[in-house]
Amino acid sequence: AEGWARFLLAQSNLRQQYVVQVASAGLEVHGLNANAVAVMHEEGVDISIQDCNLLNAELIEQADWVITLCEHADQYCPDIPADTKKLHWGLADPAAADVGSGDQLAPFRQTRDAVKQRVQQWIAEQETRAFCSAGFTDKDVQVVRETLYDGFFELQKLQVKHRLFEGGWSETF
């Protein structure tokens, strides 16, 4: 999740408007899983130098958002300050998947793709909120995001339209 967040936020308008810092933390520290590194490398994202810290109150107090990925983290996450937003995605731990003699990377690829989709959705929601904070509400703008190509790089098409002061909607651009 940290790898996708760093990679996708670098392409986002949020970086131009806010200071964005991304960090991974867990209730336990297991180190970096080689399979996770491998499947992210397939997507052109290098997470080999990332580190997962032990979650503590100080880290949570600095956060605007806490996003938990698995049920264990959601259930045992320390108390979160009232002004910190919490989101839970409830994903299965790919390292715990029983694939027998099958493809050991398959559960990691599934989780990688699910996390990418959720991070993209979260970023789109934050971009919409940032736009809405300029005096508009989320009902005044519509953003449709479509992935046109997802190979060595990803190409997305965004279609945006907004309400007009004189009524009706703008053309889609």
Side-chain angles (χ1 to χ4, degrees):
E2 178 185 350
W4 275 129
R6 288 180 185 280
F7 183 80
L8 295 169
L9 280 165
Q11 305 164 27
S12 165
N13 291 327
L14 294 175
R15 283 272 187 203
Q16 298 166 4
Q17 298 173 345
Y18 303 100
V19 175
V20 180
Q21 296 178 339
V22 179
S24 291
L27 301 172
E28 303 166 358
V29 177
H30 298 285
L32 211 50
N33 186 298
N35 290 337
V37 174
V39 298
M40 289 299 286
H41 183 70
E42 292 173 353
E43 294 291 312
V45 179
D46 182 11
I47 65 169
S48 64
I49 59 170
Q50 286 182 197
D51 193 13
C52 180
N53 299 308
L54 192 59
L55 187 61
N56 59 51
E58 181 182 333
L59 190 59
I60 289 178
E61 287 174 11
Q62 296 173 7
D64 293 317
W65 280 90
V66 172
I67 301 175
T68 55
L69 302 182
C70 68
E71 296 304 325
H72 181 75
D74 185 46
Q75 185 176 0
Y76 295 103
C77 189
D79 289 334
I80 296 175
D83 60 339
T84 300
K85 297 169 194 77
K86 182 175 184 250
L87 184 60
H88 175 62
W89 289 344
L91 300 171
D93 180 359
D98 182 13
V99 293
S101 61
D103 182 4
Q104 299 295 315
L105 296 180
F108 287 88
R109 288 185 183 109
Q110 290 171 343
T111 299
R112 172 200 67 201
D113 297 344
V115 169
K116 179 182 182 183
Q117 178 186 20
R118 297 206 182 171
V119 170
Q120 286 174 322
Q121 179 182 351
W122 182 87
I123 290 171
E125 290 168 2
Q126 302 320 302
E127 288 173 336
T128 300
R129 280 192 182 100
F131 177 78
C132 293
S133 69
F136 296 95
T137 71
D138 59 348
K139 293 175 180 40
D140 295 318
V141 64
Q142 293 179 355
V143 179
V144 176
R145 187 181 296 253
E146 176 187 0
T147 301
L148 300 177
Y149 178 76
D150 193 8
F152 178 73
F153 62 91
E154 182 176 68
L155 178 63
Q156 291 189 354
K157 174 182 176 183
L158 279 88
Q159 295 180 315
V160 180
K161 65 180 182 177
H162 59 85
R163 288 197 191 274
L164 301 171
F165 287 111
E166 62 267 9
W169 286 88
S170 71
E171 292 187 31
T172 301
F173 58 93

